[in-house]
Amino acid sequence: MEGRAVRLQGLRKTFGETVAVDGVDLEIRDGEFFSMLGPSGSGKTTVLRLIAGFETPTEGRIELAGQEVTGLAPFERDVHTVFQDYALFPHMTVEQNVAYALKIRKVPKAERLRQAREALAQVRLEGYGSRRPAQLSGGQRQRVALARALVGRPRVLLLDEPLGALDLKLREQMQLELKALQREVGITFVFVTHDQEEALTMSDRIAVFRQGRLEQVGTPAEIYERPATSFVASFVGTSNLLGGEAARRVLGTDGTHSIRPEKIRVLKESAIADEPGHATATGTVAEVVYLGDSTRFLVDLDAGGRLTALQQNLETSAEDVAAFRGARVRLAWHRRHTVPVPDAR
Ligand code: ATP
C-alpha cells in the first residue's frame, strides 16, 4: 500500500523458552525516521532482524511497501541493514566497499564508480575513496557504512545501534548528520537504540519496547509529555512519579502520576502556594547537583515520596547551590503537567 513502508502484524519470535518478541503490531510510514527504543533484551534487535529477514517469525506477518515478505530471504527484500560494527571489507578500498552491491548486481564499472562517489559525497567523504577502512576514524567508517547502504537505494534502511561504538561528542554530531541525511535522501529509517535521548533527538516517531511488547508508539513529544505507562515515564526521561498516599495528599487523587523535573519550580517553603491551577508540596532537599547550565534538586516530600526538580541556572552559581542541601522548600507545578500513568500490565 502506498505510504506504508513496513507493517508488522501479530509478530512473535521465540528462541527455545525465551519469548523475544511477544505479539507486536506496528506500521512505519514511508519516509519516516522511526526508532525502536527499549532496555537491553526487550526485543528491538530481534524485530529489526525479522524485518531484514535474518530471522523467521514464529507467528505473524511482515509487509514491506504493501507486499508480504514473511518467508522471503534477506536479499529478496528491498531493505539494507547497517550494523554497529559497520561490517566493512578490510581488504577493499572505501570506494570498492561502497560499490560492492552494485558490482554484485552487474552494474557497469563507470556507473558503479559514479554512484559510489555520489554516495560518498552525501556522507561528506569526497576524496576518501582510495583509502582502506583501517585508515579511517570511527566516525568516518560509520559514514562509509552509510554510503554503502545508500548506494543501493533501498526502500528501508535498518540501523542497529549504528552510533553505539562512538564517543559521546562524535555520537551527538553523527545524530544530527544522520537525521539530516535521512531528510535529504527521503528513505525510511528504522533505528534501534537503547538511548532515550538519541531516540528523542532523531525520530519522527518512537516505539518503546518492554519484554518483547510495545509499551507506546508516538512522536518524541507524545512519548515524553504523555507517557502511556509508568514504565515509559521512567525509561524516557527522569523517573518522577507520585503515587499512593503521596498522590492523595499532594494531588488529592489516587493512582500513579508522572511530572517532568523541568516543570517543577523550587520555591521557598513560605512562598504563597495558592496560584490557580497549581499543585504544590513541601519537603526537604535531600540532594542537590550542580550541572553547569542547570541544577537538579532531589526533594523528600512531607507527604511521602521523592521528586526531582530541574532548574535552569539563570542567576544561580555553584556556591548558591550547595547552600540548598537540607533546606526546606516548596515545589510547585501547573496541574496540566501532572500526567496519570496507568500501568498497561
Ligand atoms: P540489546 O539492546 O541488548 O541488543 P534488544 O532489545 O535488542 O537488546 P534482543 O536482542 O532482541 O533484545 O533480545 C530479546 C531476547 O531474545 C533476549 O532475552 C535475548 O537473550 C533473546 N535472544 C535474541 N536472539 C537470540 C538467539 N539467537 N538465541 C536465543 N535467544 C536470543
Side-chain angles (χ1 to χ4, degrees):
M1 200 194 94
E2 182 63 17
R4 195 160 57 199
V6 181
R7 184 182 199 193
L8 310 177
Q9 285 177 300
L11 202 61
R12 193 175 149 82
K13 178 68 182 174
T14 57
F15 296 102
E17 298 284 284
T18 309
V19 183
V21 180
D22 192 9
V24 165
D25 295 291
L26 190 61
E27 289 188 11
I28 300 172
R29 297 172 199 138
D30 259 336
E32 222 177 0
F33 197 119
F34 191 91
S35 292
M36 301 202 283
L37 173 70
S40 182
S42 58
K44 46 199 195 299
T45 298
T46 304
V47 170
L48 199 80
R49 292 175 58 80
L50 285 164
I51 298 173
F54 299 129
E55 303 282 358
T56 317
T58 311
E59 281 172 37
R61 178 186 160 92
I62 302 168
E63 279 177 23
L64 293 173
Q67 301 292 316
E68 173 158 19
V69 299
T70 318
L72 297 187
F75 66 86
E76 295 174 296
R77 304 179 184 206
D78 196 2
V79 301
H80 188 108
T81 310
V82 177
F83 298 99
Q84 182 176 343
D85 62 4
Y86 318 139
L88 299 177
F89 301 119
H91 58 285
M92 290 186 192
T93 65
V94 163
E95 213 160 67
Q96 286 165 343
N97 262 283
V98 174
Y100 182 74
L102 301 174
K103 191 172 176 184
I104 297 293
R105 278 195 241 149
K106 308 222 182 320
V107 176
K109 187 162 185 190
E111 179 59 18
R112 275 198 322 255
L113 270 182
R114 195 192 63 74
Q115 289 191 30
R117 287 192 180 141
E118 187 185 306
L120 283 169
Q122 265 175 336
V123 298
R124 302 197 296 111
L125 277 183
E126 299 102 327
Y128 286 82
S130 56
R131 292 207 196 180
R132 289 184 197 277
Q135 296 168 307
L136 300 175
S137 72
Q140 290 167 339
R141 276 202 283 270
Q142 176 57 258
R143 290 202 187 97
V144 176
L146 280 170
R148 193 173 58 174
L150 292 173
V151 82
R153 291 276 143 197
R155 187 164 183 127
V156 178
L157 197 59
L158 305 170
L159 303 110
D160 190 2
E161 303 248 4
L163 310 180
L166 307 178
D167 67 47
L168 183 64
K169 263 225 136 59
L170 186 55
R171 191 176 171 130
E172 287 175 348
Q173 186 195 330
M174 284 298 291
Q175 287 170 4
L176 300 179
E177 280 189 24
L178 204 55
K179 176 74 195 162
L181 185 67
Q182 189 266 342
R183 264 200 214 109
E184 189 185 315
V185 297
I187 294 174
T188 309
F189 276 34
V190 184
F191 185 90
V192 164
T193 180
H194 63 270
D195 181 331
Q196 42 116 354
E197 260 187 54
E198 188 159 285
L200 291 173
T201 308
M202 304 176 77
S203 318
D204 295 315
R205 286 194 306 148
I206 300 171
V208 183
F209 280 75
R210 178 194 185 195
Q211 294 172 356
R213 293 199 218 168
L214 284 179
E215 198 83 350
Q216 185 173 3
V217 181
T219 64
E222 283 165 358
I223 298 275
Y224 187 78
E225 304 275 347
R226 299 272 145 200
T229 66
S230 57
F231 174 80
V232 176
S234 307
F235 190 71
V236 183
T238 306
S239 170
N240 226 19
L241 300 175
L242 213 50
E245 180 61 21
R248 275 192 289 281
R249 285 177 60 187
V250 173
L251 303 168
T253 164
D254 283 321
T256 305
H257 305 263
S258 163
I259 309 138
R260 293 303 186 188
E262 68 278 10
K263 310 291 191 206
I264 302 177
R265 283 181 298 144
V266 182
L267 309 171
K268 289 200 185 99
E269 186 183 17
S270 58
I272 307 291
D274 57 358
E275 276 185 74
H278 276 65
T280 156
T282 52
T284 306
V285 177
E287 194 51 73
V288 54
V289 187
Y290 178 75
L291 299 169
D293 58 353
S294 56
T295 300
R296 182 183 299 139
F297 297 83
L298 272 66
V299 178
D300 287 331
L301 304 183
D302 298 337
R306 171 179 278 194
L307 284 180
T308 300
L310 195 67
Q311 305 286 283
Q312 275 205 321
N313 288 339
L314 295 175
E315 281 154 34
T316 324
S317 70
E319 292 77 44
D320 304 334
V321 164
F324 267 104
R325 199 163 287 121
R328 296 283 304 158
V329 292
R330 179 178 297 278
L331 301 182
W333 63 93
H334 201 285
R335 279 185 179 273
R336 69 169 181 273
H337 298 310
T338 310
V339 183
V341 281
D343 258 309
R345 59 196 138 110

